[in-house]
Amino acid sequence: MSGYAVVVDHFPPTSPRAEAYLAALRAGFPGAEEIVTAANHRSSWSSETGEDFLGWAARLGVRAVEAELSPWQALNQAVAMTSADVVMILEEDWWPVPGAGDHALATLSRHENGVVYFERRDTVLNELERISDGAVLRSNPRAPANPGLAYAVRRRAFLTLRGYDERASFDRAAGLDLVARLRRSGHLAITLSHLDGIVYHAPELGPTTDQDGVKAASVRRELASFVETDQSIYRNLLEWSVPAASRPPLVSVAVATKDRGSMIADSLYSVLYQTFQDFEIIVVDDGSEDDLAEQAVRQIGDPRIVYVRQEPAGISAARNRAADMTDCHLTAVHDDDDIMLPDRLERGIAALTSGSDASYGSWINFSDLTGEMRGFLGKVGFGADINAFNGQGPGHSTWTLPTWLVRRVRYESRLTASVDHNLASRLDWAGVRWVHTEHFMYLRRVHEKQVTASDGAGQKIGHILTRYGNNLMSSRQQRNTMRDAGKAARYPASASHESLMERYAGFLPDKLVRREVRISRDLINAQFTADLPHRMSYVLEDRNLLTGRAHLEGAALEDVTLADLASFRRSGLLGLQVTATIDIRPENPELDDQDIDLTDVEQQAEDAIDRSVATAAAARVDAVIEEHLRKYPTGSVLVEHGADPYHEFVDEKLLEGAKSARRVVAAGEFGATTCTRIFGYSHRLNALMNLHERSTNSGGSTFALHSREELGGLVQALSPQPIHADPTEVA
């Protein structure tokens, strides 16, 4: 550890002062390989020569974050831009004493998991020009809980925790929050107390008063309290300003496989569709008799997947090898025949706090023949008590835990089955604290080739031995106490058995379902991003007739595969609604000898498209009406169904007094099109007058009136045979 980088939040905004500060940085950090600043000073920079800040910085060898970002985003990017193993981060324009950086580096090198904090002191402005040993006598120490930190940390540790929290709510507290997360993750805080470990800062507001001190103390308490509201360790899991190429993968998905080449593609695609994308996948093939798994990995072609083949040595050896191969901080265990639910990694990582070391969750069994589902919740608080009660371990494909725990404790190679329950129990005996995410994490495939079926005896023996080990050092009374405590342990509240098929059928294997994906976002960009036009069963647009602005562009894609889902995620296509119906297709279909009437088939397809388009339009119109009536509870909505989608003219009388006016158009294949216009009024009289006039001169359209009382009749009013409203009856 010989070099380091310096990351500075900002420079003084004038070139003479900035040059003096740069000279102080180079004296204070003589071993710095590079200096990077998070500020670009586009609007506040002043130079005698007219040179802008970015030009000034480049000329003097200072790298700068050029994008317009929030301060914390810019600091995250600045750290990611460096290449040194250690970064010295200055959250304000701290002026170091000569050699401070080298002293911090020497201290950090003695502590593998250390974070070294400089002693911060506030002084007057003219003291910064001539920092000396006497300066400490003319300065005041900055309270540890005050923002504006200066510290040395390993770059990998900073990026592993995903840097500063970029949420707007953490604006003032992001620095102190990172300190807390470093502490929660086991990093040792070391504060330099020698004269050669001081950094100075001159507050712009001048000398402080007693009243200022009281206010500062109140702010410190407020920030400290806020930091404790979120106990998680890893942040920015879904949105992070750091470019993907600069992020180290946080989690390694360990997949052991043998002779399941026909299933592993489904398993891998489910990982690639995760909401959290900074992972790697290590597939260890434990001597399969064919090369189907290797072919699947090659065909998927994602560079994050690493495939390695070994001579048959057992599932424990395969999983231990995966742990030995990775540099990722966390490991997520996954089976080659199972399917991750989309937020499995996100939930597993987010659950890790100062009070837990490893996370697990609930899972759903599904039949590989029929798709039938059954949920398994698992009790909260896995440990010796639950082991003594029913011996149920945490579902192994739900685990997320530090990789070093797997390397140190390791899977037991003498067992052929139940190796995961055994490892989880031994980790518990060693003091590892398991936390339940209280959510379903994956779909577990039930089939004839799984270990439970092929090595049931080994599974049972491993399970018995583990439970025996759990109870070995306990008296009868202690075992009874543990059983009672395990029995009393609660099941997770948020994981529900209800509507499993409705919620999760969309992620079953392709062979079991017909999958539909709905997109609700910028449709034009989505088409180019994922090459979608030929896959769309319908498109839908909701446009404001008063402003011309599109409220929604949506579409539905049919016959979507798991590979498609992974491709959408990789393309950045988010916000998808995935649904499916069971549609079991034979793997080797054969045509029947009977003749097929293609006319009937085409008619059925057209009818299906008509229904799909009508249903999508009705659902959107329903939402538009509900939106208006929430805003105007005593108002009414006039719905015109059957309007010409290609005719832009709107009767001005319909717009008189209208608080909202929208047009919903849905179109599908075979010319299926529906157009509905919705006019919202704050008073019912406007709607009634327009409805009465249109009932005698509808021009081919059908009108219906809706208020809070009549909202339930919307679907009927938009059906293929619309109901003509009777104004006297409605009134």
Side-chain angles (χ1 to χ4, degrees):
M1 189 182 295
S2 57
Y4 52 87
V6 177
V7 172
V8 185
D9 175 59
H10 64 275
F11 271 71
T14 61
S15 57
R17 187 108 184 119
E19 290 180 12
Y21 182 49
L22 180 59
L25 290 177
R26 287 177 170 155
F29 302 102
E33 297 175 351
E34 56 183 338
I35 297 175
V36 183
T37 179
N40 55 43
H41 287 300
R42 291 187 188 276
S43 58
S44 59
W45 176 254
S46 173
S47 172
E48 296 174 351
T49 63
E51 185 178 32
D52 66 14
F53 177 75
L54 294 178
W56 175 89
R59 179 170 57 82
L60 294 180
V62 176
R63 299 178 66 192
V65 176
E66 297 186 13
E68 291 286 352
L69 302 167
S70 74
W72 302 113
Q73 289 176 328
L75 276 172
N76 283 338
Q77 284 208 13
V79 173
M81 286 169 58
T82 67
S83 57
D85 292 336
V86 173
V87 286
M88 312 277 176
I89 300 175
L90 309 180
E91 293 178 2
E92 294 179 3
D93 50 343
W94 291 104
W95 294 59
V97 299
D102 288 4
H103 181 53
L105 182 69
T107 304
L108 186 63
S109 65
R110 296 192 292 270
H111 302 277
E112 182 65 28
N113 288 321
V115 181
V116 176
Y117 296 92
F118 295 96
E119 181 179 345
R120 301 172 296 159
R121 301 187 73 88
D122 290 319
T123 187
V124 294
L125 193 62
N126 60 4
E127 284 289 345
L128 298 179
E129 303 290 353
R130 50 184 180 84
I131 293 175
S132 63
D133 291 346
V136 69
L137 301 177
R138 298 182 293 275
S139 62
N140 298 313
R142 178 80 66 94
N146 268 9
L149 300 174
Y151 60 99
V153 65
R154 286 174 174 81
R155 176 177 178 273
R156 178 84 184 200
F158 180 94
L159 295 177
T160 292
L161 268 60
R162 318 280 289 183
Y164 295 104
D165 194 316
E166 296 180 354
R167 289 176 292 181
S169 58
F170 276 77
D171 182 31
R172 292 192 303 164
L176 297 177
D177 170 73
L178 180 59
V179 171
R181 290 189 285 125
L182 285 164
R183 183 185 69 248
R184 292 171 198 155
S185 62
H187 286 80
L188 177 66
I190 307 160
T191 300
L192 299 177
S193 57
H194 304 288
L195 291 177
D196 51 1
I198 297 177
V199 292
Y200 291 94
H201 177 70
E204 298 178 1
L205 301 179
T208 59
T209 65
D210 291 341
Q211 186 176 1
D212 293 330
V214 172
K215 183 177 180 181
S218 175
V219 170
R220 287 198 300 270
R221 288 193 297 271
E222 178 185 341
L223 293 179
S225 176
F226 178 81
V227 164
E228 296 305 313
T229 60
D230 187 340
Q231 289 286 315
S232 63
I233 295 173
Y234 309 95
R235 304 289 173 78
N236 307 316
L237 297 182
L238 302 187
E239 296 183 9
W240 196 18
S241 64
V242 172
S246 300
R247 308 175 187 177
L250 175 59
V251 59
S252 176
V253 179
V255 181
T257 187
K258 184 173 184 179
D259 298 327
R260 291 180 183 166
S262 62
M263 302 178 187
I264 195 170
D266 291 341
S267 175
L268 297 178
Y269 281 131
S270 74
V271 181
L272 297 176
Y273 186 59
Q274 290 297 293
T275 54
F276 178 78
Q277 285 284 297
D278 296 329
F279 56 77
E280 69 174 15
I281 305 172
I282 296 181
V283 178
V284 180
D285 191 327
D286 188 43
S288 292
E289 295 182 0
D290 54 43
D291 64 348
L292 292 179
E294 184 176 7
Q295 288 182 30
V297 171
R298 191 182 305 117
Q299 183 176 359
I300 292 171
D302 193 294
R304 292 171 293 179
I305 307 177
V306 177
Y307 174 88
V308 61
R309 187 183 181 93
Q310 66 181 24
E311 291 299 316
I315 190 171
S316 290
R319 289 192 174 149
N320 286 335
R321 183 169 184 182
D324 293 338
M325 288 176 60
T326 185
D327 290 327
C328 289
H329 182 67
L330 300 174
T331 287
V333 181
H334 188 52
D335 274 352
D336 57 354
D337 55 347
D338 295 334
I339 294 177
M340 282 189 179
L341 292 175
D343 54 5
R344 180 260 186 266
L345 292 180
E346 177 193 348
R347 292 193 185 281
I349 297 168
L352 298 175
T353 68
S354 59
S356 61
D357 305 299
S359 66
Y360 68 103
S362 305
W363 72 94
I364 299 169
N365 280 4
F366 74 92
S367 168
D368 192 42
L369 298 176
T370 67
E372 181 182 0
M373 292 183 173
R374 182 184 177 190
F376 289 82
L377 301 181
K379 291 202 166 193
V380 173
F382 170 75
D385 294 342
I386 292 177
N387 237 334
F389 170 59
N390 61 9
Q392 186 182 70
H396 61 274
S397 282
T398 70
W399 296 5
T400 305
L401 72 168
T403 302
W404 71 267
L405 287 174
V406 183
R407 290 200 193 106
R408 181 169 299 182
V409 181
R410 306 189 75 75
Y411 284 91
E412 176 53 71
S413 59
R414 291 171 294 182
L415 294 176
T416 60
S418 194
V419 298
D420 306 285
H421 182 210
N422 176 268
L423 177 60
S425 298
R426 288 188 289 118
L427 287 170
D428 169 60
W429 303 338
V432 171
R433 300 160 300 173
W434 291 88
V435 62
H436 201 304
T437 66
E438 306 203 25
H439 290 277
F440 288 116
M441 305 285 274
Y442 79 105
L443 306 180
R444 177 176 176 266
R445 191 189 307 241
V446 178
H447 59 94
E448 61 183 8
K449 291 184 178 181
Q450 62 190 150
V451 174
T452 307
S454 61
D455 190 13
Q459 188 92 357
K460 187 173 183 179
I461 290 172
H463 190 75
I464 291 173
L465 288 174
T466 300
R467 291 195 69 184
Y468 176 75
N470 187 72
N471 299 331
L472 184 62
M473 302 302 293
S474 304
S475 66
R476 181 185 298 274
Q477 181 178 354
Q478 289 172 325
R479 289 196 296 272
N480 290 336
T481 300
M482 288 193 298
R483 288 193 192 101
D484 291 342
K487 183 178 181 179
R490 68 177 180 87
Y491 286 100
S494 56
S496 170
H497 286 290
E498 297 180 3
S499 307
L500 294 182
M501 189 64 69
E502 180 181 341
R503 289 183 287 161
Y504 303 116
F507 309 108
L508 287 170
D510 295 340
K511 71 175 187 177
L512 295 178
V513 296
R514 188 172 297 278
R515 188 178 294 107
E516 181 182 85
V517 169
R518 296 178 185 174
I519 304 172
S520 299
R521 55 170 297 169
D522 187 343
L523 191 56
I524 295 177
N525 289 337
Q527 293 183 46
F528 286 104
T529 299
D531 189 22
L532 303 181
H534 65 289
R535 306 289 300 280
M536 292 182 179
S537 59
Y538 70 78
V539 295
L540 182 144
E541 180 192 71
D542 170 11
R543 187 169 295 276
N544 191 317
L545 293 174
L546 300 177
T547 65
R549 183 174 65 89
H551 285 268
L552 174 73
E553 292 178 332
L557 285 70
E558 58 185 9
D559 295 329
V560 176
T561 66
L562 291 175
D564 291 331
L565 293 180
S567 175
F568 297 162
R569 184 74 76 198
R570 190 67 169 158
S571 301
L573 194 57
L574 306 177
L576 306 181
Q577 181 183 352
V578 183
T579 60
T581 55
I582 295 295
D583 182 25
I584 301 173
R585 298 177 289 276
E587 295 184 3
N588 298 303
E590 297 181 0
L591 290 175
D592 295 333
D593 293 333
Q594 62 186 14
D595 294 332
I596 299 175
D597 190 338
L598 295 180
T599 303
D600 290 344
V601 172
E602 290 177 359
Q603 186 59 51
Q604 291 174 11
E606 289 186 29
D607 292 344
I609 292 295
D610 286 344
R611 288 192 299 271
S612 179
V613 169
T615 301
R620 184 59 191 172
V621 173
D622 193 353
V624 172
I625 292 177
E626 176 62 22
E627 176 186 324
H628 179 82
L629 294 180
R630 274 200 305 268
K631 189 172 183 179
Y632 302 99
T634 60
S636 291
V637 177
L638 187 62
V639 177
E640 178 190 3
H641 182 71
D644 185 348
Y646 307 105
H647 189 55
E648 298 291 335
F649 174 76
V650 179
D651 190 336
E652 289 295 329
K653 290 184 178 180
L654 288 171
L655 298 178
E656 289 179 6
K659 297 297 183 181
S660 64
R662 307 267 277 273
R663 185 187 70 171
V664 174
V665 178
E669 296 178 279
F670 307 112
T673 305
T674 179
C675 178
T676 304
R677 295 193 289 199
I678 309 105
F679 304 90
Y681 306 94
S682 58
H683 301 290
R684 196 168 186 179
L685 182 60
N686 301 88
L688 284 171
M689 292 175 61
N690 279 311
L691 178 61
H692 180 71
E693 182 175 341
R694 267 76 194 166
S695 66
T696 59
N697 183 22
S698 65
S701 299
T702 300
F703 287 82
L705 179 67
H706 296 276
S707 63
R708 181 60 69 186
E709 292 75 18
E710 286 83 34
L711 184 58
L714 174 66
V715 175
Q716 289 80 5
L718 293 174
S719 65
Q721 300 296 327
I723 299 173
H724 291 259
D726 182 346
T728 58
E729 181 179 322
V730 173

